[in-house]
Amino acid sequence: MKHSLIRSFILGLAVFAAVPLCEAAALSKNISTPGTLAAAVGADTGVDELTVTGTIDVTDLDFIAGKMTSLRTLNLSGAQIAAWEGKRNLSSRTSYAANELPALSLAGCRASSITLPSGLTAIADGALAGTAAEKLVIPSSVKTIGSGAFAGSESLVSVEIPAGVQTAGTGVFRGCTKLREVTFPIVEVPDYAFADCTALVSVALDHNTTVIGNSAFAGCTKLESVTFPGTGKAWTLTHIGDNAFRATALKELDLTTQERLHTIGAWAFADCTQLTKLLLAPYQVFTIGDGMLFGASALTEYVPAQPRTIPTAAFKGASSLDMSTVGGNSAVTIMPYAFYGMNSLTNYHLQDNLTFIGSHAFDGCTALQVMNGPAIAQVPELGEDVWGDLDRSTVTLGVPSDMISLFSSTPVWEDFNIQQAGIDPVTSMNPAANPAAITAAFSGTVLEVSSADVLGTVTLYDLMGRTLWQRRVNAESVSIETSAWQGPVFILSAVTPDGLTATTKIAR
């Protein structure tokens, strides 16, 4: 009997103790006076779920992040954030606006689900940095997001950014290592926006994106796809920053409709070892940075830029790329190591106004057979050891007839097999062994190309050998719209998947 009474007493205590814990597991508070949430919560700081309505300020948010470390769900959708003046430990700012999630206010919050106030208009710098959020609900009223707002939130898997957001700050999602997919509706992708998001696989950017900032996706080692939803040529991308896509897993990127793109920064696609295709709008990109395609060892298809300077190590290690116009036709200067280690390069088009080739620029281009400069205007000056161990006597150098004597009497250049450049630069640079049968005819401005065999890579050049259009077709026919390009005569080259090649000249 005694034991039975004791057992009943203990059970009664357990039930009594459990009641407040169950009630405290989910807590709801309506705050009428900002700054009083801590008093309202009292000893219940260990709750799993907190819903707050009414009006709160930055001190209430600091309390949630700093003291309520057991939270799993935080719902602020019915709350309003009031303006606040004063000093905080986490920030040097002393003034905070209404309807703004203040800087660092929820940084480190342990809730796995966070719903922000429905009337919120701004998320300040670092406001949600380092949270444990897996799910984050951002209201449609938000217009601006600050630097590092969500940086280091390593549990964040997905997030929906409202279409009304107009600006985001540097490193907004940097180091969100579980973020897999994102739609980014903001027209300017800021510097370091998604840097080191190592699980990120795909990104859909805004149709009207203007800038992709420095290191925006650098270190996103699983990033395979970047798209610009929409159609037509109204896209406004003008600039891709330094290291923008460095060390990503991009496989293909088609920018041919980005007709305003004029600058690609240094190392922008460096170490993209899975990139097989990079297509640019012909004649639009005039500036590229050092090492732009450094180490892009899988690249086989490339519609080139037209820079005045081919910078240092721009294509170093792009060992699968073999196309005569890889450097465009506008360059005056080729900087050191520009094409170092391109051991698949067999033909190279010497630019018309080329004046200088830097040290080791073609070192390691062991397959080089032809250099053709049908309109080269002078003998370029050379840096040290431009060709490395290349046996120049086996390489045909094509130049205009009135330039042959100049090249033949210039040290180093004289070692080449110098001949008069052919009038058909593409034919001379891409001799057709076992030519494939192709037919090509214009229907207005559209060039219709067909073959009895499946077409592989089809390339359209102008008469100077500059690439206008290139695609891997993998079909028996293709249509090419030529209205964007001047000149009545073009050169068409087609390669079948089994290696048969045909080159033909066609008038529009």
Side-chain angles (χ1 to χ4, degrees):
M1 183 65 155
K2 181 178 179 182
H3 290 296
S4 178
L5 289 172
I6 293 173
R7 188 163 48 251
S8 297
F9 179 75
I10 292 173
L11 287 172
L13 284 176
V15 171
F16 178 81
V19 170
L21 287 175
C22 292
E23 291 177 348
L27 192 64
S28 181
K29 293 294 179 181
N30 181 57
I31 306 301
S32 57
T33 303
T36 62
L37 179 63
V41 170
D44 292 329
T45 55
V47 296
D48 295 325
E49 182 178 336
L50 176 65
T51 299
V52 181
T53 57
T55 305
I56 58 177
D57 62 24
V58 65
T59 63
D60 297 316
L61 296 166
D62 287 343
F63 166 74
I64 293 172
K67 300 297 183 181
M68 304 191 72
T69 56
S70 297
L71 273 184
R72 294 297 173 263
T73 301
L74 175 61
N75 186 350
L76 302 175
S77 60
Q80 180 179 351
I81 298 177
W84 187 82
E85 299 282 342
K87 276 190 164 186
R88 294 170 64 212
N89 292 331
L90 297 175
S91 176
S92 60
R93 283 181 57 182
T94 58
S95 179
Y96 298 86
N99 298 319
E100 176 186 74
L101 191 66
L104 302 171
S105 57
L106 287 177
C109 179
R110 306 318 299 159
S112 56
S113 175
I114 301 175
T115 303
L116 299 178
S118 58
L120 199 67
T121 59
I123 298 173
D125 296 350
L128 289 146
T131 69
E134 299 173 13
K135 178 184 178 183
L136 182 62
V137 179
I138 304 172
S140 59
S141 53
V142 171
K143 303 298 181 187
T144 62
I145 299 176
S147 297
F150 315 106
S153 293
E154 296 181 350
S155 297
L156 191 62
V157 175
S158 64
V159 63
E160 183 175 341
I161 303 170
V165 177
Q166 298 169 358
T167 60
T170 300
V172 58
F173 287 99
R174 185 173 189 174
C176 292
T177 54
K178 289 188 178 178
L179 190 64
R180 286 185 52 80
E181 298 178 356
V182 69
T183 297
F184 197 74
I186 308 169
V187 296
E188 183 169 338
V189 183
D191 295 350
Y192 298 95
F194 297 92
D196 303 319
C197 290
T198 52
L200 190 63
V201 174
S202 64
V203 174
L205 299 180
D206 190 81
H207 176 74
N208 294 311
T209 297
T210 57
V211 171
I212 297 174
N214 297 330
S215 299
F217 299 97
C220 295
T221 53
K222 293 185 179 178
L223 180 62
E224 297 180 357
S225 171
V226 175
T227 58
F228 300 82
T231 58
K233 297 184 178 181
W235 299 344
T236 54
L237 183 65
T238 61
H239 180 89
I240 296 175
D242 297 347
N243 298 292
F245 295 99
R246 187 165 191 170
T248 63
L250 278 178
K251 298 181 185 302
E252 298 181 357
L253 188 60
D254 187 343
L255 299 172
T256 51
T257 56
Q258 300 286 6
E259 294 189 339
R260 297 184 182 180
L261 179 62
H262 55 72
T263 301
I264 299 178
W267 316 98
F269 297 95
D271 301 316
C272 291
T273 57
Q274 298 181 54
L275 184 66
T276 61
K277 179 190 297 185
L278 177 62
L279 306 179
L280 308 175
Y283 300 123
Q284 300 304 310
V285 180
F286 303 118
T287 302
I288 62 177
D290 290 350
M292 182 189 77
L293 283 161
F294 176 92
S297 55
L299 188 67
T300 57
E301 294 185 56
Y302 172 66
V303 172
Q306 298 292 334
R308 285 185 58 79
T309 297
I310 300 173
T312 300
F315 299 88
K316 184 178 179 181
S319 54
S320 298
L321 188 59
D322 176 20
M323 57 178 298
S324 61
T325 55
V326 61
N329 192 53
S330 301
V332 173
T333 302
I334 298 175
M335 296 299 287
Y337 296 92
F339 304 106
Y340 184 98
M342 288 184 62
N343 54 26
S344 292
L345 186 65
T346 58
N347 307 285
Y348 186 78
H349 174 83
L350 287 169
Q351 292 83 358
D352 298 355
N353 297 308
L354 186 64
T355 62
F356 177 78
I357 304 177
S359 301
H360 300 279
F362 289 90
D363 196 346
C365 295
T366 54
L368 193 62
Q369 299 172 6
V370 176
M371 299 191 77
N372 201 42
I376 194 165
Q378 59 184 297
V379 179
E381 181 184 349
L382 301 176
E384 294 182 6
D385 206 12
V386 167
W387 318 103
D389 294 332
L390 183 68
D391 183 356
R392 294 185 291 276
S393 66
T394 66
V395 179
T396 298
L397 173 63
V399 297
S401 58
D402 60 348
M403 297 292 293
I404 290 177
S405 62
L406 289 175
F407 276 89
S408 298
S409 60
T410 302
V412 181
W413 287 108
E414 64 186 355
D415 298 333
F416 286 92
N417 176 20
I418 303 173
Q419 300 180 9
Q420 181 176 347
I423 60 172
D424 183 342
V426 176
T427 298
S428 64
M429 289 188 290
N430 296 280
N434 303 314
I438 61 171
T439 59
F442 275 98
S443 175
T445 59
V446 177
L447 178 60
E448 302 287 356
V449 183
S450 61
S451 172
D453 298 313
V454 173
L455 293 167
T457 300
V458 176
T459 310
L460 189 67
Y461 303 88
D462 65 11
L463 279 177
M464 300 310 299
R466 296 173 292 198
T467 302
L468 303 175
W469 185 95
Q470 187 178 67
R471 294 287 190 280
R472 187 180 295 278
V473 176
N474 292 330
E476 293 181 356
S477 64
V478 64
S479 299
I480 306 171
E481 174 56 61
T482 67
S483 59
W485 307 307
Q486 297 179 350
V489 179
F490 300 90
I491 298 166
L492 179 72
S493 176
V495 182
T496 64
D498 56 0
L500 301 181
T501 304
T503 302
T504 186
K505 189 181 297 184
I506 185 168
R508 182 167 58 187

